[in-house]
């Protein structure tokens, strides 16, 4: 056997082990060798930082990753979720919101931000003169972080994802960002802000400040759930959203 063939087999074996670790036994059989050889697997792409630019329909690519996420069990949240919540909106979005993680309603329906906080987010988006369909809405983790993970039917059972859970799930968000290429990200609340920026400042200090994540402009603001608890925070969020609008319209902040 030629050296190049040995190397090819080693490469396949390594990829198979990665696929097994990330998706489990079922998936390794579904991932065809042709798929692996042609490097079509999204996970492999993210692992090896290959480019998405050539011959790929972004909507299809996003959908492929969504399928992967729906089966993902890379962290323990995958074992207790009812539905993974990938994200919603358009692949052409200039603006991407990133929340902390699905709650009860989102876990039940598989859609992000559809509960009370989500309805407020929809209002904020309308006030900005956009629609949910013209932006992209996602979360830093795609499965419901629960205080009591044995009880997905319980209300008020949400918690901030741990740093470890965020670290495990962020590659999916990175893939979404790479495909959608938004001009600006708005992190909603302390969890997703910390997950992306690793900041020490509290959300009340860092909100409204222009930051960057992987070369993309980012503005943190309060989570809409915080506005439901304390409507006085709405003014600050609106100040932050005005900066976002200005940036999208003029390229300046
Ligand atoms: Fe996978 Fe993310 Fe769900 Fe964890 S939270 S199981 S990493 S999709
Ligand atoms: N809160 C979040 O952070 N994300 C959701 O999808 C819903 C509520």
């Amino acid at each position: 056997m030629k050296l190049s063939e040995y190397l090819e087999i080693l490469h396949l074996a390594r990829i198979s082990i990665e696929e097994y670790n990330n998706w489990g036994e079922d998936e390794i059989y579904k991932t065809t060798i042709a798929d692996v050889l042609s490097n079509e697997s999204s996970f492999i792409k993210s692992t090896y930082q290959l480019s998405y630019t050539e011959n790929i329909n972004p909507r299809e690519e996003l959908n492929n990753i969504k399928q992967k996420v729906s089966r993902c069990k890379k962290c323990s949240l995958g074992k207790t979720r009812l539905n993974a919540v990938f994200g919603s909106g358009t692949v052409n979005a200039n603006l991407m919101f990133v929340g902390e993680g699905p709650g009860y309603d989102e876990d039940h329906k598989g859609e992000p931000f559809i509960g009370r906080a989500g309805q407020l987010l929809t209002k904020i988006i309308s006030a900005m003169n956009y629609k949910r369909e013209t932006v992209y809405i996602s979360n830093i983790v795609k499965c419901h972080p629960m205080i009591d993970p044995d009880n997905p039917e319980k209300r008020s059972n949400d918690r901030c994802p741990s740093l470890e859970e965020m670290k495990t799930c962020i590659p999916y968000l990175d893939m979404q960002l790479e495909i959608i290429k938004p001009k600006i990200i708005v992190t909603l609340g302390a969890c997703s802000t910390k997950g992306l920026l690793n900041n020490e400042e509290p959300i009340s200090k860092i909100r409204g400040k222009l930051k960057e994540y992987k070369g993309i402009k980012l503005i943190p603001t309060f989570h809409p759930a915080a506005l439901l608890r304390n409507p006085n925070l709405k003014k600050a969020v609106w100040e932050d959203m005005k900066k976002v609008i200005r940036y999208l319209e003029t390229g300046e902040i």
Side-chain angles (χ1 to χ4, degrees):
M1 193 183 277
K2 285 193 226 135
L3 178 62
S4 63
E5 285 168 348
Y6 271 121
L7 290 175
E8 186 102 297
I9 289 170
L10 274 179
H11 179 64
L12 273 177
R14 193 178 62 177
I15 286 165
S16 299
I17 290 166
E18 272 166 9
E19 291 275 310
Y20 177 79
N21 285 339
N22 288 297
W23 316 112
E25 203 165 340
D26 286 353
E27 192 61 25
I28 200 159
Y29 298 123
K30 281 190 212 135
T31 307
T32 63
I33 288 187
D35 183 31
V36 169
L37 283 177
S38 64
N39 270 349
E40 287 294 310
S41 157
S42 308
F43 182 73
I44 296 164
K45 273 187 194 137
S46 82
T47 309
Y48 297 104
Q49 302 288 310
L50 298 180
S51 150
Y52 282 98
T53 48
E54 277 171 338
N55 302 328
I56 291 167
N57 171 343
R59 200 169 291 126
E60 220 171 276
E61 190 61 20
L62 207 54
N63 223 12
N64 288 344
I65 300 165
K66 183 175 179 175
Q67 299 310 319
K68 288 273 188 190
V69 166
S70 71
R71 298 190 289 268
C72 178
K73 296 211 179 337
K74 279 204 285 175
C75 79
S76 59
L77 301 182
K79 301 189 178 87
T80 53
R81 62 148 188 255
L82 300 176
N83 290 290
V85 178
F86 184 64
S88 73
T90 170
V91 75
N92 302 316
N94 287 331
L95 168 58
M96 177 132 145
F97 290 93
V98 179
E100 71 176 34
Y104 176 98
D105 295 296
E106 293 77 18
D107 192 20
H108 279 72
K109 297 262 169 63
E111 285 295 314
F113 281 98
I114 52 166
R116 278 186 69 219
Q119 286 157 25
L120 182 51
L121 177 63
T122 307
K123 281 191 192 156
I124 294 169
I125 294 170
S126 305
M128 295 171 80
N129 241 341
Y130 298 115
K131 296 194 185 106
R132 275 178 76 104
E133 304 77 54
T134 60
V135 301
Y136 198 85
I137 304 174
S138 195
N139 281 301
I140 194 141
V141 296
K142 313 304 190 206
C143 305
H144 186 189
M146 286 179 256
I147 301 165
D148 173 5
D150 294 330
N151 206 349
E153 292 308 328
K154 195 164 138 191
R155 288 274 181 181
S156 306
N157 190 16
D158 312 330
R159 63 168 171 82
C160 179
S162 69
L163 284 180
E164 194 57 35
E165 288 159 351
M166 291 195 272
K167 217 173 100 195
T168 312
C169 206
I170 281 175
Y172 294 126
L173 181 68
D174 288 345
M175 292 182 223
Q176 290 173 307
L177 289 169
E178 209 173 318
I179 294 169
I180 296 167
K181 299 188 179 13
K183 292 203 169 76
I184 189 160
I185 301 167
V186 172
T187 47
L188 298 166
C191 302
S192 59
T193 303
K194 175 107 186 122
L196 293 190
L197 300 181
N198 206 13
N199 55 297
E200 294 301 331
E201 287 170 284
I203 186 70
S204 54
K205 288 266 154 41
I206 199 172
R207 59 142 278 267
K209 290 190 184 161
L210 180 64
K211 302 283 171 184
E212 253 186 37
Y213 176 72
K214 300 208 162 176
I216 305 170
K217 301 273 183 282
L218 184 156
I219 291 194
T221 197
F222 291 119
H223 195 286
L227 307 190
L228 291 174
R229 290 190 296 270
N230 180 1
N232 292 335
L233 301 178
K234 283 185 184 170
K235 193 165 168 279
V237 171
W238 186 237
E239 288 302 312
D240 301 344
M241 293 310 100
K242 280 199 290 199
K243 285 189 193 169
V244 172
I245 298 167
R246 200 177 321 134
Y247 179 70
L248 286 172
E249 285 176 359
T250 67
E252 282 172 28
I253 289 207

